C-alpha cells in the first residue's frame, strides 16, 4: 500500500473512532436523567455549622455521631431543603460512601471493558427511572446531589448517578453474580407469642457492598413537610427506605424475593417502602400504596402496625401483589414466597432448592420455638445466631446462618411503644442502640443530639468476648489479603493459607479462597487438597458447590 492509500485508511479509521465516540456521547446524553425543576434554590446558600469533628448543624437539621459510632440525623422541611441539608451535613461521609460502593463494584467487576459495558447497560436500563420515582423524592435526591464528589463524574452527572444508586438493590437482582443481594432474615411475634402480647419484630439487612459501605450507618429521623414523621436506618445519599418505623407505629422492612431478570424499569422497592413509611398510618393504607406502584423486581415487604397489633407480609412481583398472613401470631421470613399463589412459582422453587433461604427460614422457626414467647432479649439472640439448623457449627460468616456476620444493619422494632433498637458497628453482635420516636419528635428534642437512649440500649452479645469472635475478625482481614494476592504476582507464605483454615475451619469459603490462591499460583496439589476438604462443608448456594467442583477439576488437570 502506498503512502496515499495509507493516509486514506487512517482517515477512515479516524472517522470511525470519531463516530463511535460521538455516538456514545449522544447515547449517554440521551439516557441522562434531567433533574427536577426547583423554583427556590436559596437553600444552597445555607451554611453548615460545625459543632465539633462529629456534629454538624444546618438550620434545625443536625448530624451527630453518638457514643456507639452510629450517626444520628434529624431532618425537616421541604423535599429539596431536606436534601440540601442532608448533603451539606454528610459531605465527607457521602464521599466515603460513594468510594465504598464504587470500589466494591470495581472488585466484583475488575475488567475495565466489562465495567464500561456495565455502565452502558445500567445507563440504558435506568433511562426512564425519573418517571417512576415520586417528585418529592426526586427533589430530595437532587438537593443532596449538589454535594456529591466530583471525582466520580466519569460514572455520570451527580443527580443522574445518585438517582441510579437508589435502584442498586433492584439491579442486584439482575446482576446476582455481583453478590450485592444476599440473604435477609426477619422474625415477628404478637399476642400469645410475644412476652407482653405486643407486636415485636426484628430483621437483619444483609446487603453487603464492602466494609466501607457499611461503616457510616445513619439513623435518620425526619419530620417531612407532608406525611408522618418517621425514623429509618439508611446511609449517606440514600432517600429510600429498607428498615423503618413512623410515629403512627407503622413499620416497614424489606427482604429480597426470588425474581427473574428484569426487562424494564419501574419503581425501586426502597422508594416504594419510603412512600409507605411516610404516608401509611395503618396496614390498610400500606396495602393501598403498595398496589398503586409497580416494581421491576420481586420483593417482600413486612408491614407491622403497633396500634393494630398485627403484621401483613406483602409479596410483590412486577405483575402481582399478594397480602399474606399465616394466622399463627408469629412470622418467620427469609427470601422466598410463602403465599399459596406464589410459593410454587418457578423462581421460588429454584430459590428453595439452590439458595440459603430455606435453611435460614428453618433455623429462625427452630429458634422461635425454643425461645417463645418472644422478648426483646431473645429476639436479639435470634438475630445474633451463627449456627445452622439443629445448632450445627457451619463456621462464622456463612450465609446459611441468621447472623452472617456482615449485615449492613440489624434492627428490632416495638411499634406499639414507638421504640427501635439498631445494632452498632461492626455487626449485630455489638450493642443494640435504643431510640424512642415519641421523645425524638417531641419539640424539645428537635435540635438535640444524640438521639439515642443509652438507658435502654442492649449489651453486646457474649460472642464478642470469645476467642472465636477475635479469630473471625482476623480471618476476614486474612481472607481479603489472600483474595487480593490471587491471580497476581504477590506470593504469600503457605502458613498464611494454613492460618486462614485454622481460624474458620467449618466455613466452606475458607477452603475456596485458599484453594483458588494456590490454583492461581499453579500449585495444583495444594489447591486440590483444599478443594476436596472444602467439598465436605455446608454450602449456602448450589452455585458455591458447583464452583468448587469446577475448581477441583482444574486442579486435577
Amino acid at each position: 500500500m502506498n503512502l496515499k492509500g495509507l493516509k486514506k485508511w487512517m482517515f477512515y479509521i479516524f472517522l470511525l473512532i470519531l463516530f463511535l465516540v460521538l455516538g456514545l456521547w449522544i447515547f449517554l446524553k440521551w439516557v441522562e436523567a434531567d433533574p427536577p425543576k426547583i423554583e427556590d434554590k436559596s437553600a444552597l446558600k445555607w451554611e453548615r455549622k460545625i459543632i465539633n469533628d462529629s456534629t454538624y448543624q444546618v438550620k434545625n437539621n443536625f448530624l451527630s455521631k453518638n457514643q456507639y459510632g452510629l450517626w444520628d440525623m434529624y431532618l425537616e422541611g421541604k423535599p429539596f431543603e431536606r436534601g440540601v441539608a442532608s448533603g451539606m451535613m454528610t459531605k465527607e461521609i457521602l464521599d466515603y460512601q460513594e468510594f465504598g460502593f464504587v470500589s466494591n463494584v470495581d472488585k466484583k467487576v475488575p475488567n475495565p471493558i466489562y465495567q464500561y459495558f456495565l455502565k452502558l447497560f445500567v445507563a440504558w436500563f435506568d433511562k426512564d427511572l425519573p418517571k417512576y420515582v415520586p417528585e418529592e423524592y426526586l427533589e430530595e435526591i437532587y438537593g443532596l446531589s449538589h454535594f456529591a464528589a466530583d471525582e466520580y463524574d466519569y460514572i455520570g452527572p451527580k443527580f443522574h448517578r445518585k438517582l441510579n444508586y437508589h435502584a442498586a438493590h433492584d439491579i442486584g437482582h439482575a446482576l446476582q453474580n455481583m453478590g450485592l443481594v444476599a440473604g435477609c432474615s426477619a422474625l415477628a411475634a404478637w399476642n400469645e407469642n410475644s412476652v407482653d402480647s405486643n407486636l415485636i419484630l426484628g430483621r437483619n439487612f444483609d446487603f453487603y457492598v464492602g466494609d466501607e459501605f457499611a461503616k457510616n450507618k445513619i439513623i435518620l429521623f425526619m419530620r417531612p413537610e407532608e406525611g408522618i414523621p418517621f425514623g429509618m436506618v439508611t446511609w449517606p445519599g440514600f432517600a429510600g427506605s429498607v428498615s423503618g418505623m413512623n410515629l403512627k407505629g407503622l413499620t416497614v422492612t424489606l427482604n429480597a424475593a426470588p425474581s427473574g431478570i428484569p426487562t424494564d424499569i419501574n419503581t425501586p422497592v426502597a422508594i416504594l417502602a419510603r412512600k409507605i413509611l411516610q404516608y401509611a398510618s395503618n396496614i390498610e393504607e400500606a396495602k393501598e400504596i403498595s398496589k398503586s406502584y409497580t416494581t421491576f423486581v420481586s420483593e417482600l415487604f413486612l408491614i407491622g402496625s403497633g396500634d393494630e397489633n398485627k403484621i401483613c407480609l406483602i409479596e410483590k412481583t412486577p405483575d402481582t401483589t399478594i397480602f399474606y398472613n399465616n394466622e399463627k401470631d408469629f412470622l418467620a421470613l427469609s427470601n422466598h414466597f410463602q403465599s399459596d399463589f406464589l410459593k410454587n412459582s418457578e423462581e421460588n422453587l429454584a430459590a428453595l432448592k439452590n439458595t440459603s433461604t430455606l435453611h435460614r427460614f428453618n433455623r429462625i422457626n427452630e429458634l422461635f420455638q425454643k425461645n417463645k414467647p418472644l422478648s426483646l432479649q431473645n429476639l436479639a439472640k435470634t438475630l445474633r445466631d451463627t449456627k445452622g439448623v439443629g445448632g450445627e457449627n457451619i463456621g462464622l460468616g456463612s450465609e446459611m446462618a441468621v447472623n452472617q456476620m456482615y449485615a449492613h444493619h440489624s434492627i428490632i422494632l416495638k411499634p406499639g411503644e414507638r421504640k427501635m433498637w439498631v445494632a452498632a458497628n461492626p455487626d449485630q453482635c455489638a450493642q443494640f442502640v435504643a431510640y424512642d420516636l415519641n421523645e425524638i419528635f417531641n419539640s424539645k428534642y428537635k435540635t438535640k443530639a444524640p438521639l439515642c437512649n443509652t438507658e435502654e440500649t442492649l449489651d453486646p452479645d457474649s460472642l464478642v468476648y470469645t476467642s472465636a469472635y477475635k479469630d473471625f475478625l482476623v480471618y476476614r482481614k486474612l481472607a481479603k489479603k489472600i483474595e487480593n494476592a490471587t491471580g497476581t504476582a504477590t506470593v504469600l507464605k503457605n502458613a498464611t493459607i494454613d492460618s486462614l483454615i485454622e481460624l474458620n475451619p467449618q466455613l466452606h469459603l475458607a477452603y475456596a479462597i485458599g484453594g483458588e490462591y494456590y490454583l492461581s499460583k499453579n500449585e495444583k496439589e495444594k489447591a486440590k487438597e483444599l478443594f476436596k476438604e472444602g467439598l465436605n462443608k455446608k454450602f449456602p448456594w448450589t452455585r458455591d458447590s458447583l464452583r468448587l467442583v469446577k475448581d477441583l477439576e482444574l486442579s486435577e488437570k
Side-chain angles (χ1 to χ4, degrees):
M1 182 183 295
N2 57 34
L3 182 61
K4 185 177 180 180
L6 180 62
K7 287 181 177 180
K8 181 179 178 181
W9 276 107
M10 289 179 66
F11 177 71
Y12 287 152
I13 292 171
F14 170 76
L15 286 180
L16 178 62
I17 294 173
L18 182 64
F19 174 78
L20 289 173
V21 171
L22 182 62
L24 286 172
W25 182 83
I26 293 172
F27 171 77
L28 291 173
K29 283 295 180 182
W30 172 57
V31 299
E32 182 181 317
D34 293 324
K37 290 180 171 56
I38 306 294
E39 293 183 5
D40 181 8
K41 294 185 179 181
S42 59
L44 292 171
K45 297 179 181 180
W46 289 350
E47 293 185 1
R48 180 176 73 168
K49 184 179 180 181
I50 302 177
I51 310 300
N52 54 50
D53 61 357
S54 60
T55 304
Y56 309 94
Q57 188 167 347
V58 175
K59 297 292 184 179
N60 283 338
N61 310 283
F62 69 85
L63 173 73
S64 180
K65 181 177 280 190
N66 63 38
Q67 68 191 76
Y68 304 102
L70 298 175
W71 289 97
D72 295 343
M73 180 187 277
Y74 173 84
L75 291 176
E76 65 179 24
K78 298 178 181 179
F80 181 73
E81 294 174 348
R82 299 193 302 258
V84 169
S86 174
M88 194 174 287
M89 293 188 296
T90 62
K91 170 60 181 170
E92 291 77 14
I93 59 176
L94 183 65
D95 293 350
Y96 189 84
Q97 195 74 15
E98 189 160 20
F99 160 76
F101 182 81
V102 173
S103 60
N104 191 264
V105 173
D106 287 344
K107 291 177 183 176
K108 299 287 186 182
V109 190
N111 188 304
I113 296 175
Y114 290 167
Q115 284 183 10
Y116 189 74
F117 280 105
L118 176 62
K119 173 185 173 180
L120 294 179
F121 165 75
V122 173
W124 172 80
F125 192 81
D126 285 354
K127 65 183 183 299
D128 293 323
L129 185 57
K131 297 178 183 178
Y132 302 101
V133 176
E135 183 71 15
E136 175 180 4
Y137 306 139
L138 291 175
E139 292 179 7
E140 196 173 304
I141 296 166
Y142 182 45
L144 68 87
S145 72
H146 285 80
F147 303 91
D150 295 334
E151 63 185 289
Y152 300 108
D153 286 353
Y154 70 92
I155 298 174
K158 293 178 176 59
F159 171 71
H160 175 84
R161 70 176 192 265
K162 288 299 179 184
L163 176 62
N164 281 2
Y165 289 161
H166 284 75
H169 177 82
D170 312 68
I171 293 294
H173 282 284
L175 303 169
Q176 289 184 28
N177 288 333
M178 289 177 63
L180 297 182
V181 178
C184 300
S185 304
L187 176 62
W190 59 101
N191 293 341
E192 65 178 17
N193 285 315
S194 167
V195 73
D196 59 4
S197 299
N198 294 319
L199 174 63
I200 182 171
L201 61 157
R203 65 83 53 88
N204 292 333
F205 181 64
D206 294 302
F207 179 76
Y208 184 71
V209 198
D211 293 340
E212 295 85 0
F213 186 85
K215 184 178 180 180
N216 292 304
K217 287 185 273 288
I218 293 177
I219 318 305
L220 168 63
F221 297 91
M222 182 183 291
R223 191 191 300 272
E225 184 183 48
E226 297 181 2
I228 304 164
F230 61 87
M232 67 180 186
V233 186
T234 185
W235 50 89
F238 192 66
S241 179
V242 293
S243 301
M245 175 170 62
N246 68 29
L247 200 53
K248 295 290 186 180
L250 188 101
T251 68
V252 184
T253 62
L254 299 184
N255 282 38
S259 184
I261 295 177
T263 57
D264 201 5
I265 194 71
N266 256 300
T267 302
V269 293
I271 293 296
L272 174 54
R274 165 70 185 276
K275 184 79 174 183
I276 294 171
L277 186 64
Q278 186 174 340
Y279 289 99
S281 58
N282 55 51
I283 288 176
E284 196 56 40
E285 290 177 1
K287 289 179 178 180
E288 289 302 314
I289 294 172
S290 71
K291 288 190 296 185
S292 65
Y293 286 86
T294 300
T295 58
F296 64 98
V297 294
S298 300
E299 195 76 12
L300 304 170
F301 295 75
L302 180 58
I303 310 296
S305 175
D307 291 349
E308 298 170 282
N309 204 39
K310 65 180 182 179
I311 61 100
C312 177
L313 177 60
I314 301 176
E315 298 185 340
K316 196 166 180 65
T317 73
D319 53 17
T320 305
T321 300
I322 301 294
F323 306 122
Y324 173 76
N325 195 327
N326 63 7
E327 299 181 351
K328 292 181 180 179
D329 292 347
F330 80 94
L331 180 77
L333 183 64
S334 50
N335 297 101
H336 60 269
F337 298 119
Q338 299 183 45
S339 67
D340 290 338
F341 189 83
L342 291 171
K343 68 181 182 182
N344 292 318
S345 66
E346 182 179 348
E347 292 85 2
N348 202 58
L349 293 175
L352 291 169
K353 179 182 178 181
N354 297 318
T355 78
S356 67
T357 183
L358 185 58
H359 194 280
R360 282 180 288 110
F361 180 78
N362 289 338
R363 180 58 175 166
I364 298 167
N365 276 289
E366 185 177 76
L367 290 167
F368 171 74
Q369 295 300 331
K370 179 180 178 180
N371 296 317
K372 68 179 183 179
L374 205 60
S375 67
L376 181 62
Q377 287 72 24
N378 59 36
L379 178 51
K381 185 178 180 181
T382 298
L383 296 175
R384 289 165 165 169
D385 185 73
T386 61
K387 304 296 184 181
V389 171
E392 181 181 9
N393 183 357
I394 53 176
L396 290 179
S398 173
E399 194 184 315
M400 297 173 74
V402 177
N403 176 11
Q404 302 170 26
M405 305 295 286
Y406 61 70
H408 177 273
H409 65 262
S410 183
I411 186 172
I412 297 173
L413 302 136
K414 294 192 74 175
E417 299 176 22
R418 310 314 194 246
K419 292 179 180 179
M420 65 187 198
W421 289 257
V422 182
N425 288 327
D427 55 58
Q428 56 267 56
C429 291
Q431 298 99 327
F432 270 92
V433 183
Y435 295 88
D436 187 325
L437 269 67
N438 280 325
E439 288 190 350
I440 290 168
F441 289 114
N442 184 306
S443 60
K444 68 179 180 179
Y445 284 86
K446 184 181 293 186
T447 57
K448 182 179 178 181
L451 298 175
C452 61
N453 183 339
T454 57
E455 293 181 0
E456 295 192 52
T457 290
L458 301 182
D459 291 335
D461 185 33
S462 58
L463 178 65
V464 303
Y465 305 111
T466 66
S467 59
Y469 186 79
K470 293 180 177 65
D471 285 348
F472 178 71
L473 296 181
V474 176
Y475 161 83
R476 289 186 65 177
K477 292 180 181 178
L478 205 56
K480 285 184 179 180
K481 180 180 180 179
I482 296 170
E483 287 177 321
N484 290 336
T486 300
T488 70
T490 302
V491 178
L492 303 175
K493 295 180 180 179
N494 290 347
T496 302
I497 314 301
D498 294 341
S499 295
L500 183 76
I501 305 300
E502 291 169 3
L503 289 165
N504 208 351
Q506 296 304 317
L507 185 67
H508 77 282
L509 193 57
Y511 300 89
I513 291 171
E516 286 174 1
Y517 167 79
Y518 281 135
L519 190 61
S520 75
K521 307 302 179 186
N522 206 33
E523 297 188 51
K524 293 186 176 181
E525 283 302 315
K526 292 177 181 176
K528 181 169 67 174
E529 182 180 340
L530 289 182
F531 291 145
K532 283 185 175 180
E533 194 169 353
L535 284 170
N536 293 321
K537 307 304 176 183
K538 295 287 186 179
F539 289 88
W541 287 59
T542 300
R543 70 183 183 194
D544 296 330
S545 62
L546 292 176
R547 178 179 174 179
L548 211 59
V549 168
K550 184 177 180 181
D551 284 342
L552 177 59
E553 291 173 352
L554 290 173
S555 69
E556 291 175 333
K557 288 183 178 179

